Amino acid sequence: MAGMLDGKSALVTGAGSGIGRATALAFAREGAWVAVADLTLDAAQRTLGAVEAAGGQGVAIACDVTDDAAVAAMVAAAVNAFGGLDCAFNNAGIAPYQVNATGVATADIEEAAWLRILDVNLNGVWRCLRHEVAQMRKQGGGAIVNTASVGGLVGLRGSSAYAVSKHAVLGLTKTAAIDHAADNIRVNAVCPGYIETPMTEESMRRAGERILGRVPMGRLGQPGEIAEAVVWMCSDRASFVTGAGWTVDGGYTAV
């Protein structure tokens, strides 16, 4: 049985672990060649090894999404490897704990931490998107999915910079979808809830009982559950879907 993405090429940022890694594997399972990108080459290569062990094909690329030249080189490397770029998942991001801003009130967060979160989570997505769009325009279209969050739909106590960055990713997604519909490029976002990844470990340590108490399904999501939504949005089965933010959160934002 043919996969949803047979013969297509895909790029995943933040693919070294968690949602990015699960999505790279799902892309490969559905027949795509996968450019696996992460901040460190070692992390990208580990995921590529898992892709290849599962019968997929791809390349590993190191990329810092805060460096525009590195992003341009990443997209070029994917195109050089596969001859084009059909799908992109702009997933690289950071959490407040990575800049010592966990639980810090809005007025108390350090400027450097604020700017760092925005540069990775928002500007990094924009840098990737602009280079991906440039390639997809040349080839007549494509599909892009950006990682937002339930933090892009509601406020998150003690995580203002993160929430702002993810709200902004949704605004970027919607506007880019409008701007590039005529280019046959679809742009959507996925809004994960609390997923069992390294990025949520700190939140669960501090407030796991409270968080799960707000999730009607009563559990953390799994990275593969986000990957399924991303793969579908990148496939031709979602041919009339653009400018959407798909929430995958076990009901967290329904409460």
Side-chain angles (χ1 to χ4, degrees):
M1 183 176 178
M4 284 191 284
L5 299 172
D6 270 359
K8 295 192 175 184
S9 58
L11 167 64
V12 181
T13 68
S17 64
I19 292 169
R21 187 178 198 194
T23 305
L25 286 163
F27 274 137
R29 182 200 69 208
E30 294 298 331
W33 298 295
V34 189
V36 178
D38 202 85
L39 182 61
T40 68
L41 186 58
D42 283 349
Q45 288 174 331
R46 285 194 294 272
T47 295
L48 178 61
V51 166
E52 292 175 337
Q57 299 179 57
V59 293
I61 305 167
C63 181
D64 179 352
V65 297
T66 68
D67 180 342
D68 191 66
V71 172
M74 172 187 68
V75 173
V79 173
N80 288 340
F82 309 133
L85 182 63
D86 301 301
C87 314
F89 181 36
N90 298 323
N91 171 69
I94 59 173
Y97 81 88
Q98 293 173 285
V99 291
N100 298 315
T102 300
V104 178
T106 302
D108 300 326
I109 188 171
E110 295 289 335
E111 182 177 9
W114 176 276
L115 294 176
R116 175 65 177 168
I117 289 174
L118 288 175
D119 198 23
V120 176
N121 290 0
L122 172 59
N123 298 339
V125 170
W126 171 75
R127 291 184 188 100
C128 291
L129 186 148
R130 64 192 289 263
H131 290 290
E132 292 155 0
V133 165
Q135 171 60 32
M136 290 176 179
R137 275 174 163 167
K138 294 177 186 176
Q139 62 191 49
I144 297 170
V145 177
N146 302 320
T147 296
S149 167
V150 293
L153 302 169
V154 298
L156 294 177
R157 186 187 302 275
S159 300
S160 58
Y162 183 84
V164 166
S165 71
K166 296 302 186 177
H167 274 75
V169 165
L170 286 175
L172 172 63
T173 297
K174 293 174 183 180
T175 305
I178 296 166
D179 287 344
H180 300 294
D183 298 314
N184 194 34
I185 299 170
R186 296 185 298 104
V187 186
N188 292 291
V190 65
C191 300
Y194 285 87
I195 309 301
E196 191 172 359
T197 70
M199 284 187 69
T200 61
E201 288 177 358
E202 176 63 20
S203 294
M204 294 305 297
R205 183 191 64 77
R206 290 189 305 110
E209 185 175 346
R210 176 179 61 79
I211 290 168
L212 290 182
R214 186 175 164 175
V215 180
M217 292 185 73
R219 65 172 176 87
L220 293 175
Q222 295 300 309
E225 293 175 304
I226 307 302
E228 294 300 326
V230 175
V231 167
W232 180 80
M233 282 187 278
C234 284
S235 78
D236 292 339
R237 298 182 189 183
S239 57
F240 199 53
V241 178
T242 196
W246 286 82
T247 306
V248 187
D249 68 351
Y252 180 88
T253 54
V255 176

